[in-house]
């Protein structure tokens, strides 16, 4: 076995889509509790686009190779063996890493691996870890969701919101709302995912629509990826004692003049930011366990859907990033590796 592997590299370390190419890099070495996984498929996430452009800080010690979620087979185990799950060479798995998934091989903690169910494809499994764990974290750990609460998911056709809408419905939210910037995606949120209602944030005043739909109460939880551009509307739409969880800045980071923050006192609401990749393995591992206990049985029997919009061979990684940047997808973009 050689000491090198193929991986997606970025010419110059950062740059536009055209800088992406497949090159040869050193194969990762294992520490005690890690497994070396031969990657079959990997999922794309918006952080990958930011990292490619040099705008996303990689956690200390993480691989500089793009990608955090993958599926594949265990090729080798570290000196501590298969961990509490008893993994062994040849096991089919999927998992979450701090980086390195756009490659033939990835070194990852055995605690962050999940056994691949026979009912799911490699491509579906590669689209689960980052998105479903992020949705779980935002809903339960950060926003303290409980049955009977109402919730709104922005970017309804994003993979995190697709997961979150399904989780909210399964766990008895009183109402599940969504926003998107295209009518087609709003229709998708309601008709395919089962959201109570969805509003076009380009053509409608979605905050006013939310207040009408809730008889002036607002929503208990808002999961936001936009940042500055939705800040005021989030405060207008949140209910008393509600929580706004911010996970991204697609709408910028600088607030315009005239923003009214009185809702923080009038409504006693909370605005909290969070991320997943910067968390330590213990924190991520608990979420991984919650995913296995709470969501995996529903993946197996079909109650939860992993919606894959497009599957491309990794040789077309530039096309895959272009799809993400165009914001036209409904669900995951997955790349496969033929070895």
């Amino acid at each position: 076995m050689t000491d090198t592997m193929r991986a997606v590299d970025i010419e110059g370390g950062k740059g536009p889509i055209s800088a992406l190419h497949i090159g040869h890099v050193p194969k990762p070495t294992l520490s005690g509790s890690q497994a070396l996984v031969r990657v079959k498929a990997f999922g794309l996430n918006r952080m990958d686009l930011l990292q490619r452009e040099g705008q996303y800080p990689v956690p200390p010690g993480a691989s500089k190779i793009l990608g955090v979620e993958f599926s594949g087979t265990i090729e080798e185990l570290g000196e501590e063996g298969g961990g509490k799950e008893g993994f062994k060479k040849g096991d089919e798995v999927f998992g979450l890493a701090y980086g390195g998934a756009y490659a033939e091989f990835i070194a990852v903690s055995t605690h962050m691996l999940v056994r691949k169910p026979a009912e799911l494809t490699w491509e579906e499994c590669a689209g689960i870890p980052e998105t479903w764990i992020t949705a779980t974290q935002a809903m339960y750990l950060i926003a303290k969701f409980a049955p009977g609460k109402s919730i709104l998911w922005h970017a309804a056709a994003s993979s995190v919101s697709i997961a979150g809408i399904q989780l909210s419905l399964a766990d008895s939210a009183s109402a599940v709302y969504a926003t998107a910037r295209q009518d087609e995606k709003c229709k998708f949120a309601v008709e395919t995912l089962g959201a109570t209602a969805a509003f076009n944030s380009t053509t409608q005043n979605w905050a006013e629509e939310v207040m009408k739909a809730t008889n002036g109460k607002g929503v208990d939880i808002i999961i936001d990826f936009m940042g500055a551009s939705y800040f005021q509307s989030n405060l207008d739409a949140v209910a008393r004692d509600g929580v706004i969880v911010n996970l991204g800045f697609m709408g910028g980071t600088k607030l315009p003049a005239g923003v009214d923050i009185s809702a923080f006192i009038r409504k006693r609401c909370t605005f909290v930011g969070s991320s997943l990749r910067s968390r330590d393995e213990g924190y991520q591992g608990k979420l991984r366990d919650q995913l296995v206990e709470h969501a995996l049985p529903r993946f197996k029997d079909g109650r939860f859907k992993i919606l894959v919009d497009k599957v491309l061979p990794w040789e077309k990684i530039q096309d895959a990033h272009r799809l993400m940047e165009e914001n036209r997808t409904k669900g995951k973009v997955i790349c496969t590796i033929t070895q």
Side-chain angles (χ1 to χ4, degrees), residues 30-282:
L30 298 181
S31 64
S33 61
Q34 290 184 318
L36 185 70
V37 176
R38 182 185 291 270
V39 177
K40 294 272 193 181
F42 58 83
L44 275 67
N45 292 282
R46 194 155 293 278
M47 76 176 90
D48 302 347
L49 310 186
L50 297 173
Q51 186 179 331
R52 188 200 74 227
E53 296 169 349
Q55 298 179 30
Y56 193 104
V58 178
S63 170
K64 298 298 188 289
I65 297 169
L66 297 172
V68 298
E69 57 183 353
F70 60 91
S71 61
T73 57
I74 294 178
E75 189 82 3
E76 185 182 339
L77 291 164
E79 59 188 20
E80 293 180 19
K84 68 175 186 178
E85 296 286 341
F87 290 114
K88 61 185 185 299
K89 182 176 178 179
D91 281 351
E92 298 180 344
V93 295
F94 63 94
L96 182 69
Y98 288 104
Y102 287 27
E104 288 184 303
F105 297 93
I106 186 171
V108 61
S109 166
T110 55
H111 191 191
M112 297 311 299
L113 293 176
V114 179
R115 295 184 188 278
K116 174 188 172 294
E119 296 88 345
L120 301 179
T121 67
W122 293 110
E123 292 83 3
E124 288 172 325
C125 286
I128 292 173
E130 169 67 18
T131 49
W132 284 81
I133 288 178
T134 296
T136 298
Q137 177 202 24
M139 270 183 70
Y140 300 100
L141 269 65
I142 308 299
K144 310 298 184 188
F145 175 85
K149 289 191 175 184
S150 59
I151 188 166
L152 182 148
W153 293 86
H154 288 307
S158 71
S159 295
V160 173
S161 290
I162 287 171
I165 290 169
Q166 293 182 76
L167 285 166
S168 303
L169 291 166
D171 287 348
S172 303
S174 60
V176 182
Y177 300 104
T179 70
R181 290 181 284 188
Q182 299 167 25
D183 287 340
E184 181 187 358
K185 291 183 176 181
C186 291
K187 183 178 179 182
F188 165 80
V190 174
E191 295 184 1
T192 301
L193 301 179
T196 307
F199 311 108
N200 187 321
S201 57
T202 301
T203 61
Q204 294 177 284
N205 183 326
W206 65 263
E208 287 185 0
E209 295 299 325
V210 166
M211 295 305 287
K212 289 177 189 174
T214 58
N215 295 317
K217 177 181 182 294
V219 285
D220 297 314
I221 297 169
I222 296 175
I223 310 296
D224 173 54
F225 309 90
M226 302 306 292
S229 63
Y230 281 20
F231 187 83
Q232 184 68 69
S233 295
N234 284 332
L235 292 179
D236 295 342
V238 75
R240 181 170 290 177
D241 296 316
V243 180
I244 302 162
V245 181
N246 176 249
L247 300 177
F249 303 118
M250 291 173 63
T253 60
K254 306 293 185 183
L255 295 179
V259 167
D260 181 0
I261 64 170
S262 63
F264 286 115
I265 292 176
R266 287 189 295 105
K267 296 184 177 183
R268 302 190 299 264
C269 65
T270 301
F271 184 98
V272 56
S274 189
S275 66
L276 178 63
R277 194 175 182 184
S278 61
R279 304 285 190 170
D280 63 36
E281 186 184 309

